[in-house]
Amino acid sequence: MKIYIVGIGVDGVKTLTREAEEAIASADVLIGAKRMLDPFLALGKPFLTEYRSTEIVRYLNENSFGMAALLMSGDCGFFSGAKKLAELLDDHDTEVISGISSPVYLCAKLKKEWSDCFFVSLHGQDGNIARHVKAHEKTFFLLGGDLKASDICGRLCEYGMDDVVVYIGERLGYDNERIITGKACELIDFETDGLCVMLAENRDCEKALPCGISDDEFIRGKVPMTKSEIRTLVAVGLDIGKNDTCWDIGGGTGSVSVEMAVRCENGIVCTVEKNPEAVGLIRQNQRKFGCDNIRVLEGKAEELVNDLPAPDCVFIGGSGGMLEEIIAAAIGKNSSARLIVTAVSLETLSECIALFDKFGLEADISQIAVTRTKKIGQHTMLSAENPVYIIKRKLQ
């Protein structure tokens, strides 16, 4: 069977390409969600209202057609089900026809370039909204489910990005199309249709990946904090990927959590801290640095770690005397997890070495002694920080 997977543009009429129009006209049957099919019902062709890939494949395998057209919104390469369909239809002669996607259409209306956008699909999920906007000058959100444009504006305001300019595109391509522009703080109560997209423009975005953020940048209180030089070595040593799930055990002020979060932009950081004052500081620093991908859990680590998602990276800066239980939970959930423990006392170092041996982990141990300068009168004096041991799991 010849099968066309067709991107019909944003509305299926004005933005329909000539190639797509010809494929639809030639097809013996049309398949797609109701909104995809509506513009073509007047053709009088047999049709199936269905968007689930497995049901579409089952229908085609149970019926004999010379040619079928599977209709997809926008472009088949932009957060589309086309890839899965093409894989399931591998036994047929399948061809994909591109369409005009919503970011292309909206940016044309706004007279803006779209090639420098960062694209996020929020279909049925609550993504790392603030982190993406903090990291990119232009972030395009494809909305869906219960998350509305006003929710994104509210999240941006919660994380100190009130002045970010947003462009909301509602029912693009249709006669009742609306494009609304304003600052995030001006649109937190704006009501939109479910068929909606958004472009957020943050001229004050991060120009480089933050690394070794100055200690003075963090809200600190009286809670101990992992210093900048140590944080840098921990973050680099864990080799954190954009999609990783990270644990920060003994979060303190949240300084390590922030360094983790800016690296796992599409992932999450689960920060465990039992001190209520520290929990408050973590939340403040989380908002200051735009890290809504940090999940703060208050309580004892040994009671919480078993309910955390399997980690790719684990940092243990404070264990509350439960180091064995924490390490056991981490490698129990992911035997290949990257792991770093810091210690400031010989007793903790000794315990950590023994536990690495017990669990069959190879340790790479460094001692870091940082000395900084400070001005006293006309002289520049040296001021030593406490030395810190970094115990890193060495993976083959």
Side-chain angles (χ1 to χ4, degrees):
M1 188 187 309
K2 177 68 176 182
I3 299 175
Y4 290 104
I5 302 177
V6 184
I8 64 169
V10 294
D11 68 327
V13 181
K14 291 185 293 185
T15 57
L16 190 69
T17 66
R18 179 64 61 85
E19 185 182 20
E21 185 178 12
E22 291 173 354
I24 291 169
S26 303
D28 300 315
V29 62
L30 304 179
I31 302 173
K34 182 179 183 302
R35 184 172 71 84
M36 309 304 110
L37 292 171
D38 282 347
F40 310 106
L41 295 181
L43 297 176
K45 293 179 178 288
F47 66 90
L48 171 67
T49 304
E50 183 59 73
Y51 63 89
R52 295 169 295 179
S53 298
T54 52
E55 290 302 308
I56 291 172
V57 173
R58 183 188 62 78
Y59 175 78
L60 290 173
N61 289 336
E62 291 178 355
N63 293 274
S64 180
F65 299 106
M67 186 183 297
L70 313 184
L71 309 184
M72 298 284 172
S73 174
D75 178 67
C76 296
F78 184 70
F79 295 111
S80 170
K83 179 182 178 182
K84 183 178 180 181
L85 267 173
E87 292 171 350
L88 294 174
L89 294 168
D90 191 48
D91 293 338
H92 298 278
D93 180 10
T94 305
E95 183 176 339
V96 176
I97 297 177
S98 61
I100 296 176
S101 62
S102 52
V104 173
Y105 182 92
L106 177 62
C107 287
K109 288 282 186 176
L110 297 172
K111 300 178 183 177
K112 291 182 177 291
E113 189 172 359
W114 58 267
S115 62
D116 56 348
C117 287
F118 181 79
F119 300 104
V120 180
S121 175
L122 296 176
H123 268 241
Q125 58 183 324
D126 179 9
N128 302 331
I129 294 166
R131 177 86 306 262
H132 292 315
V133 175
K134 191 78 172 177
H136 303 278
E137 183 171 348
K138 291 181 186 174
T139 307
F140 183 91
F141 292 101
L142 187 62
L143 305 183
D146 296 330
L147 202 62
K148 300 178 181 178
S150 58
D151 297 323
I152 294 181
C153 291
R155 180 79 65 84
L156 295 179
C157 292
E158 180 185 354
Y159 283 81
M161 290 179 275
D162 307 54
D163 291 334
V164 165
V165 178
V166 298
Y167 306 90
I168 300 171
E170 182 183 46
R171 296 193 61 79
L172 295 178
Y174 292 90
D175 293 338
N176 57 346
E177 166 186 291
R178 284 198 303 173
I179 297 177
I180 303 95
T181 302
K183 294 181 178 180
C185 60
E186 299 168 341
L187 297 172
I188 55 175
D189 295 318
F190 187 78
E191 291 295 327
T192 55
D193 188 276
L195 188 57
C196 188
V197 297
M198 173 188 281
L199 175 67
E201 194 169 36
N202 181 14
R203 301 267 175 94
D204 192 33
C205 66
E206 295 165 348
K207 306 307 180 187
L209 182 70
C211 184
I213 302 168
S214 171
D215 295 346
D216 295 336
E217 290 292 312
F218 289 95
I219 303 166
R220 296 181 59 174
K222 297 180 180 179
V223 174
M225 182 176 74
T226 302
K227 299 301 190 293
S228 173
E229 294 83 0
I230 307 303
R231 270 187 278 114
T232 302
L233 293 172
V234 167
V236 172
L238 285 172
D239 194 23
I240 300 167
K242 282 187 174 291
N243 301 306
D244 279 353
T245 295
C246 304
W247 290 5
D248 179 9
I249 308 300
T253 61
S255 63
V256 173
S257 293
V258 168
E259 297 268 8
M260 286 177 152
V262 298
R263 286 163 175 74
C264 65
E265 181 183 341
N266 303 322
I268 60 169
V269 178
C270 299
T271 305
V272 178
E273 175 56 59
K274 64 181 180 181
N275 180 350
E277 180 186 356
V279 168
L281 289 171
I282 295 168
R283 296 191 190 280
Q284 290 181 62
N285 283 312
Q286 174 187 17
R287 289 191 290 271
K288 178 176 180 179
F289 291 95
C291 296
D292 58 342
N293 53 341
I294 296 176
R295 311 288 186 264
V296 186
L297 298 95
E298 182 175 355
K300 295 179 180 179
E302 67 274 15
E303 297 175 357
L304 296 174
V305 287
N306 289 318
D307 295 326
L308 297 182
D312 299 291
C313 306
V314 178
F315 171 66
I316 305 174
S319 64
M322 295 295 177
L323 188 57
E324 180 173 356
E325 289 80 357
I326 296 167
I327 293 176
I331 63 174
K333 288 176 178 285
N334 179 7
S335 60
S336 300
R338 302 184 291 281
L339 170 66
I340 287 181
V341 183
T342 55
V344 294
S345 72
L346 293 175
E347 288 77 11
T348 303
L349 173 64
S350 177
E351 179 189 10
C352 191
I353 293 172
L355 288 173
F356 269 50
D357 288 341
K358 178 177 180 178
F359 289 112
L361 309 178
E362 186 176 352
D364 187 354
I365 303 171
S366 303
Q367 184 203 61
I368 307 299
V370 176
T371 301
R372 296 175 175 175
T373 61
K374 64 180 180 179
K375 203 75 173 177
I376 298 179
Q378 298 300 313
H379 296 272
T380 302
M381 307 299 291
L382 297 176
S383 177
E385 300 284 347
N386 289 329
V388 177
Y389 294 96
I390 299 177
I391 307 98
K392 175 184 174 182
R393 180 186 183 184
K394 191 173 182 179
L395 293 169
Q396 300 300 324

